[in-house]
Amino acid sequence: MFYINRSRPTKNGDCPINMRITINGQSLAMFTKRYVQPEVWDGKLGMCKGKTSEALEVNRYMEAFKANAYNKYADLNALYDQATPELLRDAILCVNTSKSKTLCTVWEDHTHDLKLLIGKETSYANYQKYCTALKWMKQFLLEEYRVHDVPIKLINRQMVVKFEVFLRTKKMCNYNTTIKYLQNFKRIVMIGFKNGWLKINPFADFKLTLREVDRPYLTEKELQNIMDLEIMIPRLELVRDLFVFSCFSGLAYADLFKLKASEIECDPKGVLWIRTRRQKTKVKAQIPLLNVPTFIIEKYTDLSILKAEEKVLPVISNQKLNAYLKEIQTLIGLEKSLTFHVARHTFATTVTMMNGVPIESVSRMLGHKDIKSTQHYARIVDTKIGNDMTDLALKMGSRLSFPKAAASV
């Protein structure tokens, strides 16, 4: 309905004409960009009285305004399960919020926000994962549906299943990689679900559980071979030293990259400690440094002259670091695939657990939120279990045995 706002007249006495939109009991008013003198306005009919050219022009304008509103309302009903007065107003005014939210647009907005939060609440690696997942989604939509984007309200369980098949077959992703991309997809879908752009959660009964995988680590001999390797190329020497530092500290790449002077303290015994918060989990990690990592720090910097915010080690990009590790792998003839994260696994197994460090202490040094994460490493340390049982057998001797078994011994 149309009415005039008598409380907001102009200097010459004209009153603005407003249109009230009411949908399912919810209403709001919007300005029609027209004014009229109060005496020519018919409040009951919601239009101008008389046959003057001015009155006829205003009435024609309002009829067109109303027809446009009904057309926009029909369009909104095709895009949304429930149109609202706010959506209709924005559609009439051609404001973007009245447009249907699309999957790739919401995804791009999310990755843009992640990029701004790198180093604060997220990592560059996490940002990259969302970008890659978005790239695969766009390719999937083009191949499967012949479109570049889809309204987020149209996402259903069938699309989730098809995207999973696409990742496993067309992109040749393994199970866990596929699950991680689906987790990225779910994150975007939940943004739409929580904002009301999507009425049914297509992931409601979709389990995204990662499978347990073997965590590669170096044996003591393999680690020593890397440390003994004579390297004449400075870039490879740096990479070897950074890798070994992580083997003896357990720092992930992101935590080593951001390690600054203020995060290293010296206790009364002269032992250096790393006290930091993990980039990934924000959990505090406290690690006493052994001789090897202490030597590496002293090789590249002087802590006494570093400012609090200055980085301790000259860490290069993760991509280059892993590429150069492949060269070191070839030089020592190592059959295992050498990546920087192998160093963290080596710290958890070969350096600590196999040498009797309690799992609780290892968990604290690794900065795990839950000790269950550390128990994954405990399951693969078969050598330690064997040694422990051998020691137990020696301690017990024949104290607990059947008489016949003791006699035979």
Side-chain angles (χ1 to χ4, degrees):
M1 62 169 289
F2 295 98
Y3 67 96
I4 60 172
N5 188 350
R6 298 177 184 272
S7 63
R8 302 289 295 273
T10 61
K11 291 181 179 180
N12 63 359
D14 288 344
C15 293
I17 302 175
N18 289 347
M19 181 176 73
R20 179 177 291 117
I21 301 171
T22 304
I23 302 176
N24 293 332
Q26 300 179 11
S27 63
L28 60 76
M30 65 175 294
F31 177 45
T32 63
K33 299 182 180 179
R34 286 293 185 273
Y35 294 86
V36 71
Q37 286 289 324
E39 58 269 17
V40 300
W41 180 256
D42 189 326
K44 292 183 179 180
L45 297 177
M47 58 187 298
C48 291
K49 297 180 289 187
K51 300 293 183 179
T52 64
S53 58
E54 180 183 359
L56 293 175
E57 190 278 329
V58 169
N59 288 340
R60 283 195 295 268
Y61 175 83
M62 289 189 297
E63 283 298 322
F65 200 93
K66 181 166 63 174
N68 180 52
Y70 276 111
N71 289 334
K72 296 292 185 182
Y73 179 70
D75 292 341
L76 289 175
N77 279 334
L79 295 172
Y80 293 88
D81 292 334
Q82 180 61 63
T84 64
E86 290 79 11
L87 284 173
L88 180 53
R89 175 199 60 200
D90 292 346
I92 295 170
L93 297 174
C94 297
V95 176
N96 287 336
T97 55
S98 66
K99 297 180 181 179
S100 176
K101 296 291 184 180
T102 60
L103 173 62
C104 294
T105 300
V106 175
W107 205 319
E108 287 166 354
D109 289 343
H110 184 68
T111 54
H112 177 264
D113 292 342
L114 284 178
K115 189 174 183 180
L116 297 176
L117 293 171
I118 292 175
K120 299 175 183 176
E121 294 184 13
T122 191
S123 64
Y124 181 76
N126 188 46
Y127 163 73
Q128 274 191 318
K129 289 174 185 175
Y130 274 93
C131 290
T132 302
L134 174 58
K135 182 173 70 172
W136 297 151
M137 174 56 72
K138 288 182 176 180
Q139 187 176 328
F140 163 72
L141 292 176
L142 200 57
E143 292 185 15
E144 185 69 29
Y145 299 101
R146 302 292 187 271
V147 296
H148 294 281
D149 203 354
V150 293
I152 203 166
K153 67 171 288 184
L154 297 181
I155 298 171
N156 53 29
R157 194 180 190 283
Q158 183 184 25
M159 182 182 289
V160 176
V161 173
K162 285 187 175 183
F163 185 52
E164 179 185 17
V165 173
F166 170 82
L167 292 172
R168 295 296 300 274
T169 57
K170 297 293 182 66
K171 307 316 298 182
M172 301 302 292
C173 296
N174 62 34
Y175 176 82
N176 278 359
T177 302
T178 299
I179 292 299
K180 289 177 182 178
Y181 284 140
L182 288 174
Q183 288 172 343
N184 295 149
F185 182 21
K186 181 180 179 180
R187 170 66 175 163
I188 305 305
V189 168
M190 292 309 296
I191 292 174
F193 183 69
K194 291 177 180 178
N195 281 284
W197 308 325
L198 180 66
K199 297 301 178 184
I200 299 176
N201 177 15
F203 283 91
D205 62 340
F206 212 92
K207 293 184 179 180
L208 301 178
T209 306
L210 297 174
R211 289 176 182 169
E212 180 67 25
V213 295
D214 291 334
R215 287 168 165 77
Y217 64 95
L218 300 181
T219 64
E220 199 168 293
K221 182 178 179 181
E222 290 167 340
L223 177 56
Q224 188 62 55
N225 287 342
I226 292 178
M227 295 170 65
D228 291 340
L229 183 65
E230 292 186 12
I231 302 177
M232 305 304 294
I233 305 173
R235 62 179 173 84
L236 292 185
E237 182 181 9
L238 170 63
V239 168
R240 187 270 307 274
D241 291 345
L242 294 174
F243 179 83
V244 171
F245 184 89
S246 182
C247 285
F248 283 88
S249 66
L251 289 183
Y253 171 81
D255 302 314
L256 181 63
F257 180 81
K258 72 177 184 64
L259 183 65
K260 51 191 177 183
S262 62
E263 295 175 317
I264 296 184
E265 301 175 6
C266 186
D267 68 13
K269 296 181 181 180
V271 177
L272 293 181
W273 284 69
I274 292 177
R275 303 184 193 276
T276 184
R277 285 194 179 274
R278 289 204 62 206
Q279 178 76 37
K280 182 178 180 180
T281 62
K282 305 303 178 186
V283 175
K284 192 171 183 179
Q286 302 189 76
I287 310 153
L289 294 183
L290 301 173
N291 292 334
V292 172
T294 301
F295 170 78
I296 293 173
I297 289 178
E298 293 173 349
K299 179 178 177 180
Y300 288 95
T301 190
D302 184 350
L303 289 175
S304 63
I305 63 174
L306 276 186
K307 295 180 181 178
E309 296 302 312
E310 288 184 317
K311 292 184 178 180
V312 175
L313 294 170
V315 182
I316 61 177
S317 72
N318 197 23
Q319 290 82 355
K320 287 184 178 180
L321 199 156
N322 281 314
Y324 297 156
L325 279 174
K326 298 301 181 186
E327 295 184 43
I328 295 175
Q329 176 186 334
T330 303
L331 288 174
I332 63 173
L334 184 66
E335 294 183 359
K336 295 176 182 177
S337 179
L338 200 60
T339 64
F340 192 78
H341 211 60
V342 170
R344 184 168 166 84
H345 300 329
T346 300
F347 173 79
T349 55
T350 303
V351 175
T352 56
M353 288 190 184
M354 285 186 179
N355 287 293
V357 178
I359 191 172
E360 294 81 6
S361 299
V362 177
S363 182
R364 186 72 179 271
M365 289 187 285
L366 289 173
H368 284 158
K369 279 186 174 180
D370 194 327
I371 200 170
K372 289 181 181 179
S373 301
T374 320
Q375 287 170 343
H376 293 305
Y377 297 107
R379 296 192 188 105
I380 63 176
V381 189
D382 297 331
T383 304
K384 177 65 168 61
I385 295 173
N387 292 339
D388 288 344
M389 293 306 292
T390 300
D391 293 341
L392 178 62
L394 293 173
K395 290 179 181 178
M396 292 183 65
S398 59
R399 285 183 294 145
L400 292 173
S401 64
F402 284 107
K404 289 183 180 180
S408 64
V409 174

